[in-house]
Amino acid sequence: TGISTRTSYINGRLSVERSISITYEMIANKSGKKYLKNINVELNGSKIKHPTVRIIVLKTARRAKDIMAVAITDKESAFVGESIIVRYYLYNKIQVNTTDIKRFPKLSKFLKRYHQEKMRAERVQYNGEIYTRRIIYTAQLFAEKAGSYKIDPITLNVQFTKRSSRYNNLGFGFGKSRSKSVTSKPILIDVKALPIDNVPPHFTGLVGTHDFKLQLNKNKFVVNEPIEMKLTVLGEGALELYESPKILENPEVERFDTNSDLVIGSDFTGTKTFNMTYLGRESFDSVSKVMPFSYFDTKKMEYVTVNLDLGSITVAGSQQVVRSQGNKVNEPQVNTVEDIV
């Protein structure tokens, strides 16, 4: 039914792949388990075998369900620390009156974020049937270790009205309110470890595209004057796990506690802001410094480094304590930048 050819150039080597599709049509004359055995293909003098295929033939086609709970993820596999979006939907073909969450998904093995998306109804096709679906629950997940993970199901309690085939004298059908419980099927996610080759020493641990911005209130200070910096990180990774980096590492500089703030956007990206404060205890001059920040890009499948220019920093002056005169002790005096100039 078709022939396709694909050419690729990987690591200096040219590779050509040719695919031939052959289609067979079969009709089962009885219901039950059927098997396709001895599937062999001879190619270039060699024989390729395919495992036996089992097919279950039903007497009658299964009737599509009127109401279902369905979980859908945005990917089937992910890297450690990569964002996984799972949406839990209610699919219905009949009128639904109310929907309540009877049992929330645990998702205990993941770092979780919960999102409130609009429950906007839309018409979709599912297994050849037309349904109306709406989002009931949305979660953003991050796995911290490699392995096989299960996306836990959700259980909904649904009240609905099912029309009867009986009609009254005016031609209206009878409707009776009913309720039922529906549960989504669990989903398996394969979480892969990050590549160990070419990991930069300044890797932040963040996975996915990220932007970094560093701001300094000014570049010239006097001794004991606060040096304030703000680092802003925007991206789709697990920013909850990212801690404040050390920007100024100098024996004449004292670092104080850093406060941070994390805001999650409607597009599932987060913005984490670090407000850092340092104090220069002695005068010093630092040359222009470049701060590298690296993340793993899942689209390019490589580590990407962003370099931020901190610029030069000057701390001028020194603490001078005047010895006591009689019973009077003078306070420490701090020279200013203007005094030194």
Side-chain angles (χ1 to χ4, degrees):
T1 56
I3 299 177
S4 63
T5 303
R6 185 177 66 179
T7 303
S8 59
Y9 194 77
I10 303 175
N11 295 330
R13 299 184 61 183
L14 182 65
S15 175
V16 179
E17 180 182 292
R18 189 176 183 218
S19 175
I20 303 175
S21 299
I22 302 174
T23 301
Y24 296 87
E25 292 185 359
M26 298 169 288
I27 298 177
N29 52 13
K30 290 182 181 181
S31 61
K33 296 180 180 179
K34 307 297 179 182
Y35 298 90
L36 302 182
K37 303 178 180 180
N38 301 323
I39 305 174
N40 302 317
V41 176
E42 292 186 4
L43 181 64
N44 296 333
S46 62
K47 183 178 289 186
I48 305 173
K49 293 185 178 181
H50 190 282
T52 298
V53 177
R54 187 184 71 165
I55 301 174
I56 302 204
V57 180
L58 304 176
K59 290 184 178 180
T60 58
R62 289 177 177 172
R63 182 180 177 275
K65 296 180 179 179
D66 291 331
I67 300 175
M68 299 183 300
V70 179
I72 298 178
T73 58
D74 66 337
K75 53 181 66 73
E76 296 179 355
S77 63
F79 285 99
V80 171
E82 183 179 2
S83 169
I84 304 171
I85 307 298
V86 54
R87 292 181 173 91
Y88 294 90
Y89 294 92
L90 174 68
Y91 282 68
N92 60 283
K93 298 172 65 176
I94 58 178
Q95 179 181 339
V96 171
N97 301 326
T98 60
T99 304
D100 297 316
I101 299 178
K102 185 177 181 180
R103 184 179 295 109
F104 286 86
K106 294 181 180 179
L107 306 171
S108 56
K109 293 185 177 181
F110 295 93
L111 171 65
K112 302 175 286 291
R113 296 176 186 168
Y114 299 111
H115 295 264
Q116 186 67 41
E117 294 189 283
K118 294 181 179 179
M119 295 179 60
R120 182 173 58 250
E122 57 182 354
R123 292 182 66 81
V124 296
Q125 187 176 26
Y126 187 85
N127 291 339
E129 299 284 336
I130 301 298
Y131 286 86
T132 298
R133 77 172 185 182
R134 51 181 56 83
I135 296 176
I136 302 299
Y137 192 73
T138 304
Q140 185 177 14
L141 312 175
F142 302 90
E144 300 182 52
K145 295 181 180 180
S148 180
Y149 287 75
K150 183 179 74 171
I151 304 295
D152 299 316
I154 194 172
T155 300
L156 306 176
N157 188 35
V158 183
Q159 289 189 350
F160 61 96
T161 300
K162 193 167 185 179
R163 297 294 178 185
S164 172
S165 58
R166 297 173 55 192
Y167 294 87
N168 58 20
N169 296 333
L170 299 177
F172 295 100
F174 295 96
K176 185 177 181 181
S177 180
R178 302 178 183 179
S179 65
K180 67 180 300 185
S181 179
V182 293
T183 302
S184 63
K185 294 180 180 180
I187 302 175
L188 293 180
I189 294 288
D190 179 38
V191 177
K192 300 170 290 186
L194 293 172
I196 60 175
D197 296 333
N198 301 320
V199 180
H202 34 69
F203 177 47
T204 60
L206 298 173
V207 179
T209 304
H210 289 79
D211 292 325
F212 299 84
K213 184 178 181 182
L214 183 62
Q215 294 176 300
L216 185 65
N217 57 341
K218 57 183 181 178
N219 293 94
K220 293 184 178 181
F221 305 86
V222 296
V223 171
N224 287 337
E225 182 182 2
I227 304 172
E228 297 176 344
M229 299 181 184
K230 182 168 72 172
L231 174 65
T232 304
V233 186
L234 169 64
E236 55 195 52
L239 290 170
E240 291 88 340
L241 303 178
Y242 182 51
E243 298 181 355
S244 172
K246 294 181 179 179
I247 304 296
L248 286 182
E249 295 185 274
N250 191 302
E252 283 79 25
V253 175
E254 182 178 357
R255 182 186 180 188
F256 287 79
D257 291 339
T258 300
N259 62 75
S260 62
D261 180 56
L262 177 62
V263 177
I264 306 301
S266 59
D267 59 349
F268 302 102
T269 61
T271 302
K272 192 166 188 178
T273 304
F274 298 96
N275 293 299
M276 297 168 279
T277 302
Y278 296 85
L279 282 182
R281 295 304 189 182
E282 296 290 342
S283 61
F284 73 91
D285 289 306
S286 68
V287 297
S288 182
K289 182 180 180 181
V290 174
M291 293 293 301
F293 299 88
S294 298
Y295 61 88
F296 182 73
D297 193 319
T298 56
K299 296 179 181 178
K300 297 180 180 179
M301 296 295 292
E302 63 182 15
Y303 293 94
V304 177
T305 300
V306 177
N307 292 312
L308 300 182
D309 188 4
L310 179 61
S312 60
I313 296 178
T314 299
V315 176
S318 61
Q319 283 192 340
Q320 296 181 351
V321 179
V322 181
R323 296 184 180 276
S324 61
Q325 300 176 357
N327 295 327
K328 182 180 179 182
V329 179
N330 293 331
E331 296 294 330
Q333 296 179 352
V334 180
N335 293 331
T336 64
V337 176
E338 291 76 7
D339 293 335
I340 296 174
V341 174

